[in-house]
Amino acid sequence: MLENIKEYNCRCGKEHIFSAEIYSGSGKISELENILISENIKKVFLLADKNTFAAAGKPVSGILEKCGVQINSFVFDSAHVEPDETNTGLALMHYADCDMVIGIGSGVINDIGKIISNTANKLYCIVATAPSMDGYASSSSSMTRNGLKISLPSKCPDIIIGDTDILRKAPERMLVSGIGDIIAKYIALCDWRISALINGEYFCEDIALLVRKAIKCCVENADGLLKREKAAVEAVFEGLIISGMAMNLAGCSRPASGIEHYFSHLWDMRSVEFGTPCDFHGIQCGLASLISAKAYMKLKTTVPDREKAIENAENFSLDEWNETLREFLSRGAEAMILLEKKEKKYDLSSHRIRLEKIISHWDEILKIIDEEIPPLEELYSLAEKIHLPVIPEEIGISSDILPLTFKATADIRDKYILSRLCRDLGITDEITEAIL
């Protein structure tokens, strides 16, 4: 199923490049021996956490020893590693010069491994331990810096190994996380297309088609994934790889990340600052996708009101909002407030320009929503089938914070998403009532 894309000039006007070598299927861990020989690898730096090393450390170490490769390793003591300055710095301090960095794990280990290999300018191989998220093939790392969740440029792995004999043994919660991260793409594509329409942002239909293919493949194999069927596990893993590949080809996270990811980022940030609960990235994104879909369905019932939108923008107090952000997020709020000084998304003249485009293209916006987001009953049926939480309380988060979370998503990145569209229309309060 994986696309054989290396580089090509697209009709969108960009040259798309993807260079990772991908090995997916039963027994594919054995390919590591051939890779080590062909790349003449003599020394590796091995990165894992306690759980991921237990999942695949033995076969990887065995192959390295068989090939006579010198191993320097760092294994995090904890099974839960926060992707932040402390843990990234800790891993870097244990780094030893090598020919290749090998990560054993999924999201966090891969994100840190990509940063280390990029910093050291070394080959990077990730041995996947769970089909839990779509970041394996992306060229960025999802990190927490100064309390703010950011997408940090790093590198795409040179080699991705997804052995289904290892992947299918992942905890069920991580299997569910993988499907949750794919469900998020419905919302991400919708956000992306609407922004392209309103702001003239770059959009590539070929990449969008690639993501839709990944969604279809993963959703069709959801049943088999939870039954740990090898074919289904392989199909879902490859769908996740395609999603990551799409981000690489686009040169941004747009094809795979929209407002639903920002819900997840905010919950992560609050967890770091206040010790509140959080869950796997894909589970949070899947749940947030259901919330975002409800918001989009409410948006469809709206008739844009120019006077109301202008009045709302003129009465908005940025100082009051910044204080609200500080109470809600603590440290992370400061980075968001600084970002707005560069962004100036609350500038009244810019708002007027966007508002006129929104009103003039309203029918097209409604069409995009219909084309990209399935009916709510279909999404909730899928969630039930794969045991995905459908209300925040199922992951320990109070629904009471949903309205403020929705509003805060507008400030976490310089990206036009649903919450910013609602602010431009002056209907944020009506939309947040609908998601409770």
Side-chain angles (χ1 to χ4, degrees), residues 223-425:
D223 281 343
L225 178 70
L226 294 192
K227 294 174 185 174
R228 302 181 186 275
E229 296 171 0
K230 287 186 180 182
V233 172
E234 182 177 351
V236 170
F237 179 73
E238 292 188 355
L240 291 164
I241 294 294
I242 286 176
S243 178
M245 181 189 296
M247 289 187 273
N248 247 318
L249 296 174
C252 64
S253 64
R254 268 299 195 182
S257 169
I259 185 175
E260 76 299 324
H261 270 62
Y262 294 172
F263 271 90
S264 180
H265 291 343
L266 290 165
W267 293 336
D268 287 344
M269 290 163 62
R270 283 178 54 81
S271 179
V272 170
E273 292 298 311
F274 307 120
T276 52
C278 65
D279 212 310
F280 287 118
H281 167 79
I283 286 178
Q284 292 186 163
C285 288
L287 167 60
S289 297
L290 300 177
I291 296 167
S292 302
K294 286 173 67 176
Y296 262 120
M297 294 308 109
K298 176 63 177 177
L299 181 68
K300 284 175 57 179
T301 68
T302 300
V303 177
D305 184 330
R306 182 182 285 103
E307 290 184 9
K308 178 181 177 180
I310 292 172
E311 181 181 3
N312 185 275
E314 290 177 344
N315 291 335
F316 176 76
S317 170
L318 183 56
D319 289 338
E320 289 180 11
W321 174 239
N322 286 344
E323 286 308 307
T324 300
L325 282 178
R326 289 186 177 103
E327 291 176 11
F328 188 54
L329 296 170
S330 188
R331 282 188 311 153
E334 299 305 328
M336 293 163 69
I337 291 166
L338 284 174
L339 179 63
E340 171 52 25
K341 290 181 178 179
K342 297 179 182 178
E343 234 177 70
K344 300 188 183 302
K345 61 179 169 291
Y346 297 113
D347 176 75
L348 291 177
S349 59
S350 298
H351 169 257
R352 291 285 185 95
I353 293 170
R354 290 194 303 272
L355 180 61
E356 292 308 315
K357 288 186 178 179
I358 292 167
I359 293 172
S360 63
H361 292 290
W362 188 244
D363 288 343
E364 293 168 80
I365 290 171
L366 296 179
K367 183 181 178 185
I368 289 170
I369 297 170
D370 284 337
E371 288 177 347
E372 298 295 349
I373 303 178
L376 285 178
E377 57 270 22
E378 186 177 318
L379 287 174
Y380 277 88
S381 175
L382 174 61
E384 182 180 5
K385 182 190 300 184
I386 63 171
H387 309 158
L388 177 72
V390 298
I391 58 172
E393 281 75 10
E394 291 183 72
I395 61 172
I397 294 172
S398 172
S399 291
D400 292 343
I401 70 165
L402 286 185
L404 191 47
T405 307
F406 181 89
K407 293 174 183 178
T409 60
D411 294 88
I412 200 167
R413 295 273 199 287
D414 184 11
K415 186 186 286 187
Y416 198 82
I417 54 175
L418 172 60
S419 52
R420 290 177 64 167
L421 172 61
C422 292
R423 280 193 177 183
D424 279 347
L425 287 167

Side-chain angles (χ1 to χ4, degrees), residues 71-207:
I71 307 170
N72 289 297
S73 62
F74 178 66
V75 179
F76 287 99
D77 291 337
S78 174
H80 175 75
V81 180
E82 180 64 29
D84 58 14
E85 306 100 316
T86 299
N87 287 318
T88 304
L90 186 61
L92 277 165
M93 288 178 71
H94 283 84
Y95 171 78
D97 189 40
C98 63
D99 304 312
M100 175 186 283
V101 176
I102 298 180
I104 301 176
S106 55
V108 175
I109 294 299
N110 188 45
D111 282 335
I112 295 176
K114 286 189 284 189
I115 290 173
I116 292 174
S117 59
N118 188 50
T119 302
N121 194 27
K122 301 296 182 181
L123 287 172
Y124 179 51
C125 170
I126 179 68
V127 177
T129 55
S132 55
M133 53 88 219
D134 69 351
Y136 285 117
S138 76
S139 56
S140 62
S141 295
S142 183
M143 309 296 292
T144 302
R145 185 177 67 189
N146 293 329
L148 177 65
K149 203 78 176 181
I150 63 168
S151 185
L152 193 67
S154 51
K155 69 173 288 183
C156 178
D158 300 287
I159 300 140
I160 302 169
I161 300 176
D163 189 323
T164 51
D165 299 324
I166 295 171
L167 297 173
R168 66 195 292 266
K169 295 176 184 177
E172 181 177 292
R173 198 84 174 165
M174 298 191 81
L175 303 181
V176 175
S177 178
I179 300 293
D181 205 4
I182 280 293
I183 291 173
K185 307 330 169 203
Y186 290 125
I187 307 299
L189 290 178
C190 190
D191 278 353
W192 192 18
R193 286 183 63 187
I194 289 173
S195 181
L197 184 64
I198 295 170
N199 302 303
E201 182 181 342
Y202 164 75
F203 174 80
C204 177
E205 179 59 24
D206 283 2
I207 292 174

